[in-house]
């Protein structure tokens, strides 16, 4: 479909949009925004939302002294307020050839997830940027803000195509060079990189970001016994490595153990480094993933 004819229903149905509007992106860290947004920060500031008192200290702004309390207690107290601030929200999508697999494809699921989370951010005046592994350093994705940016965001996401076979480490390094600010990063990938994920994730831990890893796999990858039988020739979608196999119960059991070990290894690696890991099956409705699973993990509320 041409980008000029794209509509919200292509990725986000009207029903889903209505559900997403009630949600808010949350950071476990405190970041100082450049502009006033629509969220209440944990950091005390000087907005109109009263938060608490504290004792006056020499040098404090006299305008914020509570004179009514002084009249009653003969002590100086300063009014504190909850400061509203905006949030940097980034989504980094793996658009490698291996993501063009499944029904729906892992890439479509990633695009729909990015659009859903991005829309939540737009509704709260957060700064939203969606990029892919192959985004060039000198041409970062657009920074979007406000509900009026919905169509621009959907147009950008709609045009993402598979085939950006960039290593995870290279993609993460390039992303960090393009986006050196603080904020929340959601990384959506199938983690199918022969060089592994460890170096890339270690690089991310050095950044001042709240990182969520959504490990995206298709039902066939999670439960191959439902569709794979007999003698098969498997070809790597990215480097065309091939292997001849015979699907048998022992082979499927070995695959299952290997997959479980890989998933638990990635989960443990992320948890130990302050990142949040979630395994997502592409047959899961995106609105359910956002409103239930990601809410449980603290990304939305």
């Amino acid at each position: 479909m041409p980008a000029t004819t794209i509509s919200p229903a292509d990725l986000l149905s009207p029903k889903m949009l209505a559900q997403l509007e009630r949600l808010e992106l949350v950071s476990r860290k405190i970041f100082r925004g450049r502009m006033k947004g629509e969220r209440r920060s944990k950091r005390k500031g000087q907005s109109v939302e009263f938060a608490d008192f504290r004792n006056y200290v020499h040098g404090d702004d006299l305008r914020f002294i509570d004179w009514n309390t002084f009249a009653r207690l003969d002590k100086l107290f300063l009014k504190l307020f909850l400061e509203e601030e905006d949030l940097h929200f980034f989504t980094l999508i793996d658009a490698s050839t291996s993501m063009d697999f499944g029904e729906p494809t892992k890439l479509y699921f990633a695009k729909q997830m990015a659009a859903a989370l991005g829309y939540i951010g737009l509704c709260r005046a957060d700064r939203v940027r969606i990029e892919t592994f192959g985004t060039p350093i000198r041409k970062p994705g657009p920074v979007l803000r406000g509900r009026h940016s919905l169509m621009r965001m959907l147009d950008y996401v709609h045009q993402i195509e598979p085939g950006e076979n960039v290593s995870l480490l290279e993609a993460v390094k390039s992303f960090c060079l393009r986006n050196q600010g603080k904020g929340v990063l959601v990384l959506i990938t199938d983690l199918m990189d022969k060089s592994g994920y460890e170096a890339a994730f270690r690089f991310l831990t050095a950044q001042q970001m709240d990182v969520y890893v959504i490990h995206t796999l298709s039902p066939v990858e999670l439960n191959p016994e439902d569709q794979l039988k007999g003698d098969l020739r498997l070809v790597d979608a990215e480097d065309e490595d091939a292997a001849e196999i015979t699907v048998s119960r022992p082979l499927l059991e070995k695959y299952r153990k290997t997959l479980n070990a890989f998933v638990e290894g990635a989960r443990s690696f992320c948890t130990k480094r302050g990142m949040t890991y979630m395994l997502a099956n592409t047959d899961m409705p995106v609105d359910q993933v956002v409103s239930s699973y990601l809410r449980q993990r603290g990304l939305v509320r």
Side-chain angles (χ1 to χ4, degrees):
M1 178 183 297
T4 54
T5 62
I6 193 170
S7 69
D10 291 315
L11 290 170
L12 304 176
S13 68
K15 180 180 179 181
M16 190 185 300
L17 288 173
Q19 294 174 338
L20 297 173
E21 286 179 353
R22 299 193 292 267
L23 300 175
E24 178 183 6
L25 298 171
V26 183
S27 172
R28 296 165 297 184
K29 300 180 181 180
I30 300 176
F31 302 119
R32 182 180 295 274
R34 295 178 183 174
M35 301 174 64
K36 295 293 182 182
E38 296 184 4
R39 69 181 59 255
R40 292 193 180 105
S41 169
K42 299 175 183 178
R43 178 166 48 83
K44 300 298 189 296
Q46 299 174 359
S47 73
V48 296
E49 184 83 17
F50 173 75
D52 202 352
F53 293 102
R54 71 166 171 80
N55 291 325
Y56 171 81
V57 177
H58 179 69
D60 283 338
D61 193 330
L62 298 178
R63 292 176 299 171
F64 300 105
I65 290 177
D66 189 327
W67 296 108
N68 291 327
T69 303
F70 175 74
R72 295 197 309 270
L73 303 177
D74 196 28
K75 290 184 178 180
L76 292 176
F77 289 92
L78 214 66
K79 290 181 179 179
L80 299 178
F81 301 88
L82 283 174
E83 183 170 347
E84 295 182 344
E85 63 179 17
D86 61 331
L87 181 74
H88 295 256
F89 179 74
F90 305 97
T91 303
L92 182 58
I93 298 175
D94 181 352
S96 61
T97 309
S98 67
M99 290 287 286
D100 190 30
F101 180 81
E103 185 58 44
T105 67
K106 292 178 285 184
L107 181 58
Y108 180 82
F109 178 89
K111 290 162 65 172
Q112 194 176 28
M113 179 68 67
L117 293 173
Y119 182 63
I120 296 174
L122 294 180
C123 288
R124 293 293 181 269
D126 295 327
R127 278 168 292 168
V128 175
R129 171 174 277 171
I130 299 172
E131 297 188 339
T132 67
F133 278 20
T135 301
I137 293 178
R138 295 183 180 180
K139 191 179 179 181
V143 177
L144 306 171
R145 188 185 180 100
R147 294 171 187 252
H148 65 278
S149 298
L150 172 61
M151 295 307 298
R152 188 180 175 199
M153 178 189 71
L154 291 175
D155 185 31
Y156 180 85
V157 173
H158 177 72
Q159 295 183 58
I160 296 174
E161 297 291 340
E164 298 178 353
N165 297 326
V166 180
S167 72
L168 182 57
L169 177 59
E170 182 182 344
V172 166
K173 284 184 176 180
S174 177
F175 169 83
C176 292
L177 288 173
R178 295 192 305 274
N179 304 283
Q180 298 183 15
K182 302 175 183 178
V184 176
L185 167 62
V186 174
L187 173 62
I188 309 176
T189 174
D190 58 9
L191 291 181
M192 292 189 179
D193 189 326
K194 290 183 178 179
S195 60
Y197 57 80
E198 293 87 353
F201 285 2
R202 287 193 187 97
F203 195 88
L204 277 179
T205 59
Q207 311 304 308
Q208 293 181 313
M209 289 188 181
D210 198 356
V211 181
Y212 289 79
V213 177
I214 300 181
H215 185 190
T216 306
L217 294 176
S218 71
V220 177
E221 291 165 333
L222 290 168
N223 300 291
E225 62 272 14
D226 295 340
Q227 299 192 39
L228 301 183
K229 299 181 185 300
D231 296 330
L232 299 173
R233 185 173 188 268
L234 304 182
V235 180
D236 190 303
E238 298 183 12
D239 62 14
E240 298 186 351
D241 272 359
E244 306 282 347
I245 67 167
T246 298
V247 179
S248 62
R249 185 178 298 276
L251 181 64
L252 290 173
E253 290 178 354
K254 182 178 180 181
Y255 174 84
R256 173 73 62 185
K257 290 180 180 179
T258 301
L259 177 62
N260 289 342
F262 182 83
V263 167
E264 289 308 312
R267 190 194 312 277
S268 175
F269 193 93
C270 289
T271 301
K272 290 178 180 178
R273 289 159 179 81
M275 299 187 291
T276 299
Y277 170 95
M278 189 189 83
L279 177 64
N281 188 328
T282 57
D283 68 356
M284 298 168 59
V286 165
D287 56 343
Q288 180 181 343
V289 175
V290 173
S291 62
S292 179
Y293 294 95
L294 290 180
R295 175 175 280 176
Q296 293 173 8
R297 287 160 176 80
L299 178 58
V300 298
R301 67 182 174 197

